[in-house]
Amino acid sequence: MNTTPARAAGSGGTALDENYAKNLQRATLASSIGSALEYFDFALYGLATALIFNVLFFPQGDPAMATVAAFATFGVGFVARPFGGLFFGMLGDRLGRKIVLVITIVLMGGASTLIGVLPTYEMAGIWAPILLVLLRLLQGFGAGAEQAGATVLMAEYAPTARRGFFSALPFIGIQAGTLLAAVVFSLLTMLPEEALMTWGWRVPFLASFLLIILAVLIRSKLEETPTFVEMEKREQVSEHPLRELFRNGFPGVLVGIGLRMAENGGSYMFQGLALSFFVTVVGPEADKGLLTWGVTIGSLIGVFSVPFAGALSDRFGRRAVYRAGALFMLVYSLPAWWMLTLGNHALAIAVIAIGIGFAVATMLGPQCAMLPELFGSRHRYLGVAMAREISAVLAGGLAGVLGAYLIAITDANWLVLGLYMTVLAAITVVSTFLVPETLRRDLTRTDDAVKISSVEAGDDVWLNGSQGTGASAVSARTSFTVDRTPVSADER
């Protein structure tokens, strides 16, 4: 029996159809609000890191090193994310998707709100950056499972034939949150310098509390996903998802990390690092407020381009669309960073907007369905969380710290930053050739789409213990294999 959400919705008559439609709508809204809050906080933190935190929370003997230290606190949040993904990912696979999404939104949003009441370095000395780091750790710990949960929730709710489109809809929240942060920060920079540095920067962090209340109210009314309900009926819920992930899902995690390098790293480089780079190159003449409109416009474009890319992946496949975005970033990286050195504000805004709205968004669209499709249902939440959050450390977190350090030691050499982004894009391009096509995969399946297999005398021998033992397994040739299970007619 194959019970995908789409089929479940249509198998019980009009009443079940209406109930499914309401839950699909509620799931989309619940996921979108969480995504908006997460990326509002992270984009706001990134913008504040480059322009405010480096001044208020660190000693100013060496401004360049103060910026590096500020970006280090930005990166600390990414270090905490895999641990949050590990902890909450296991809970999500054991207890269900819904309860974990309520917990993570409260933890993540609460930490962000408390940042708004922190004392500065002038007020509290060394305790100021210490408290900032602690709250950043809590923020990252909650965020480590938030986006993975939203991704899994929507993929398991979405109709099979349009999973790419529906799974991408909550990720409008990513663009909306980034857009809101950019708009708010642009408005804040219009304040007098003294007002901005004393109380103005605190306002948007404190306002996170409103989004928390809204998200909790919506998520508390959400029903569990059809996939997890079906797992409970079949008594397939895993008691040890971490053990299963290491035994069966590790190849999927590795491929998922590679897929995220360009998307995640490129996103944070364009959102935060590009601003710091431009200000360093141009100097006092740089208009900080004007430049944030690049992030604003790019996020506004992403509101449309992310679901459009998701819809394209329903038609042409996840890999083709993902690879197109990665190739675009590959050829765009060097020209983009060179154009930032020209000191033209309008050109810099366009560079950032194109990077976020097209290069990053084209990968993000198909990724929303692709990552959940890589993993079996028993460890899907944990698998997606690990792929997302380990890549967030390697790409997003490292991009800020390493990028700021490279700017400082190379005197803002554009070629070094351009090559760095090129490497991230190249890793993702290669990864698209390692991942199987997961279009319309049945999400009630317990096996993974990417497997480590052995081939001897033309036979597949799984190295996870289900088939193949003894000498035949030892002497076999190890390789990645692609799930080529045909799609049934009613899933198309």
Side-chain angles (χ1 to χ4, degrees):
M1 178 180 178
N2 176 13
T3 314
T4 62
R7 193 174 305 166
S11 61
T14 304
L16 188 55
D17 283 343
E18 292 178 355
N19 184 60
Y20 169 73
K22 289 180 180 179
N23 275 293
L24 178 61
Q25 183 181 38
R26 196 173 291 136
T28 303
L29 186 58
S31 301
S32 299
I33 293 294
S35 299
L37 176 59
E38 176 183 352
Y39 276 78
F40 173 75
D41 289 338
F42 269 73
L44 186 66
Y45 198 103
L47 292 169
T49 296
L51 305 174
I52 292 178
F53 288 166
N54 58 329
V55 176
L56 293 182
F57 285 86
F58 300 92
Q60 295 301 296
D62 186 342
M65 286 299 105
T67 300
V68 172
F71 271 105
T73 66
F74 183 72
V76 160
F78 289 93
V79 174
R81 290 179 69 140
F83 297 98
L86 177 65
F87 178 77
F88 289 115
M90 289 189 293
L91 288 183
D93 282 321
R94 293 181 61 185
L95 304 180
R97 322 313 191 194
K98 172 186 171 179
I99 186 172
V100 173
L101 284 172
V102 173
I103 297 172
T104 56
I105 198 72
V106 173
L107 179 60
M108 181 181 65
S112 299
T113 302
L114 289 175
I115 289 176
V117 299
L118 284 180
T120 64
Y121 187 84
E122 185 179 352
M123 299 175 182
I126 192 63
W127 282 105
I130 290 176
L131 292 173
L132 182 64
V133 168
L134 288 175
L135 289 179
R136 182 65 175 163
L137 285 169
L138 288 176
Q139 186 188 56
F141 192 75
E146 167 63 32
Q147 205 59 58
T151 302
V152 171
L153 181 80
M154 279 311 303
E156 292 184 346
Y157 256 114
T160 303
R162 302 189 66 196
R163 186 182 293 146
F165 172 72
F166 276 96
S167 295
L169 287 180
F171 284 70
I172 294 177
I174 291 178
Q175 309 303 321
T178 304
L179 175 63
L180 181 61
V183 170
V184 168
F185 204 83
S186 296
L187 294 175
L188 287 176
T189 57
M190 296 179 184
L191 291 172
E193 186 77 9
E194 183 179 356
L196 174 63
M197 291 297 184
T198 53
W199 60 266
W201 69 270
R202 299 179 183 274
V203 174
F205 286 99
L206 295 173
S208 298
F209 185 69
L210 300 176
L211 286 175
I212 300 173
I213 295 175
L214 180 60
V216 170
L217 288 175
I218 294 172
R219 290 183 176 185
S220 62
K221 298 179 181 179
L222 183 68
E223 293 183 8
E224 190 53 79
T225 69
T227 298
F228 194 83
V229 170
E230 186 66 22
M231 288 171 58
E232 290 182 316
K233 289 180 180 178
R234 299 180 184 181
E235 298 183 350
Q236 291 179 330
V237 177
S238 175
E239 290 295 321
H240 305 286
L242 181 60
R243 182 188 304 170
E244 290 195 14
L245 182 68
F246 273 102
R247 182 184 300 167
N248 304 322
F250 196 63
V253 173
L254 290 179
V255 172
I257 291 172
L259 290 171
R260 290 260 298 160
M261 295 302 284
E263 174 267 318
N264 191 256
S267 176
Y268 283 103
M269 287 183 76
F270 280 122
Q271 286 181 35
L273 196 62
L275 275 67
S276 181
F277 177 79
F278 187 84
V279 170
T280 302
V281 170
V282 176
E285 293 79 18
D287 189 330
K288 301 175 183 178
L290 181 63
L291 198 61
T292 57
W293 282 99
V295 180
T296 304
I297 296 172
S299 301
L300 185 60
I301 295 171
V303 168
F304 303 97
S305 57
V306 169
F308 180 68
L312 286 179
S313 75
D314 285 327
R315 181 176 178 83
F316 300 106
R318 315 288 187 226
R319 289 188 304 178
V321 179
Y322 211 116
R323 189 176 299 153
L327 286 170
F328 180 79
M329 180 169 285
L330 184 70
V331 301
Y332 183 65
S333 296
L334 289 176
W337 288 93
W338 172 74
M339 286 186 284
L340 289 175
T341 66
L342 300 180
N344 185 299
H345 284 77
L347 182 60
I349 290 172
V351 166
I352 295 171
I354 291 171
I356 295 173
F358 291 102
V360 172
T362 304
M363 291 179 280
L364 185 57
Q367 181 193 114
C368 305
M370 193 176 195
L371 287 184
E373 289 169 340
L374 290 178
F375 299 97
S377 58
R378 289 168 60 88
H379 53 258
R380 177 170 295 128
Y381 200 136
L382 182 59
V384 173
M386 289 296 92
R388 285 188 57 85
E389 303 314 328
I390 293 175
S391 62
V393 175
L394 299 177
L398 190 60
V401 180
L402 181 58
Y405 181 70
L406 291 174
I407 290 174
I409 67 172
T410 65
D411 195 23
N413 188 313
W414 69 269
L415 184 59
V416 174
L417 274 298
L419 288 173
Y420 179 33
M421 182 175 282
T422 299
V423 170
L424 294 178
I427 293 173
T428 297
V429 170
V430 172
S431 298
T432 62
F433 288 95
L434 299 176
V435 70
E437 180 53 68
T438 58
L439 181 64
R440 299 189 181 97
R441 194 169 195 268
D442 180 7
L443 294 187
T444 62
R445 294 176 58 170
T446 58
D447 62 322
D448 292 79
V450 183
K451 308 176 181 73
I452 293 181
S453 71
S454 310
V455 181
E456 182 178 34
D459 296 325
D460 286 342
V461 183
W462 305 116
L463 294 185
N464 59 14
S466 59
Q467 292 182 13
T469 57
S472 64
V474 174
S475 62
R477 176 170 56 85
T478 302
S479 64
F480 279 101
T481 65
V482 175
D483 176 10
R484 303 188 184 278
T485 305
V487 180
S488 59
D490 56 352
E491 283 186 281
R492 294 189 178 97

